[in-house]
Amino acid sequence: MLRDKARVTVNMNGPYTVYGNLPLNVKEIIRNSAGEASGWSVIRRYPNQRIYTLCRCGKSRSKPFCDGTHDKKGFDEAETASLKRYFEQAEIEEALGISLADVQSLCAASRFCHGAGGIWNLLEKSGDPKIRKIIVEEACNCASGRLVAIDKQSQKPIEPLLEKAISLVEDPIEGISGPIRLEGGVELVSHDGKQYETRNRITICRCGKSKNKPFCDSTHVHTRFKCKYKK
Ligand code: FES
C-alpha cells in the first residue's frame, strides 16, 4: 500500500509528512579530544508512528512535529533545489587511491571534513592508507552526503551502513540544532509529486530558512536555530 511505503513528502506551505513507520530519533554530533566533530550518537528515540508530520518552518511549538503554525506565519516554502542526481552535480577531486565527490550546495555544516587538518589537505597525502582511512571516515560521517569518497580501484562510492530512519540533527559543539536527516535510502517527494534522487543520506531543512529547499544549506548555523523539543 502506498501509504505504508517509506518516504517523506514535502507539503505546499506546510510540513513534511513521513510515511512507512519510519523510526524517528535525535542524533547529536560528538567530538574527539581535539574538539573536532568525530561521530554520531543517538540521544533520543520517539515511539514508532505509521505516519507523522515534521515541522519545516521552524516555528512549531510542538517541535519536532508540526502544529499548524506555518499557516499563521506566512512561511515561504518554495522548493528551489535541483532535481538533478548527485553525480550530475558533483565536482570530483582525484587523489591517490581515492576520489572525493562534492556538491557544495548540500552542505549542512556538520564539519566532519574539518578534522585532522581538513579533508582537502588530507587528499594530498592519500598515498598513505592511514590517511585514506581518515578521508573515508570523514566523508562517511558527512551529514548531508555533500561529500562522498569513491574507491579508485572499484570506482564505487563508499557509503556508511545506515538503517532506514529519520534523524533530527543536534550540534552541541555549536549549541544549535541542525536539519532532518533521511537515512538509509528514504524517498523524498516534492509538493507537486516530483521525486528527488533517493540517496543513503540527505539532510532537509527544518529551520525554514534554507535557500536550497527542501535541502539544508547550513543557514541554520547563521540564524542559530535551536529546537526546543516537546517532552
Ligand atoms: S536546517 Fe539547515 S538551513 Fe534550515
Side-chain angles (χ1 to χ4, degrees), residues 178-179 205-208 210 216-220:
C205 175
R206 66 167 164 150
C207 73
S210 171
C216 167
D217 71 350
S218 320
T219 302
H220 63 269

Side-chain angles (χ1 to χ4, degrees), residues 141-155:
N141 270 328
C142 174
S144 63
R146 163 192 166 173
L147 297 175
V148 176
I150 303 157
D151 178 72
K152 231 20 195 294
Q153 221 172 13
S154 65
Q155 285 299 310

Side-chain angles (χ1 to χ4, degrees), residues 184-198:
V186 174
E187 287 183 15
L188 177 64
V189 183
S190 72
H191 76 276
D192 55 354
K194 295 195 182 85
Q195 182 119 15
Y196 293 95
E197 182 185 11
T198 303

Side-chain angles (χ1 to χ4, degrees), residues 161-174:
L161 196 61
L162 294 170
E163 299 290 326
K164 267 194 174 59
I166 306 292
S167 288
L168 306 161
V169 174
E170 282 299 312
D171 186 348
I173 307 170
E174 282 289 318

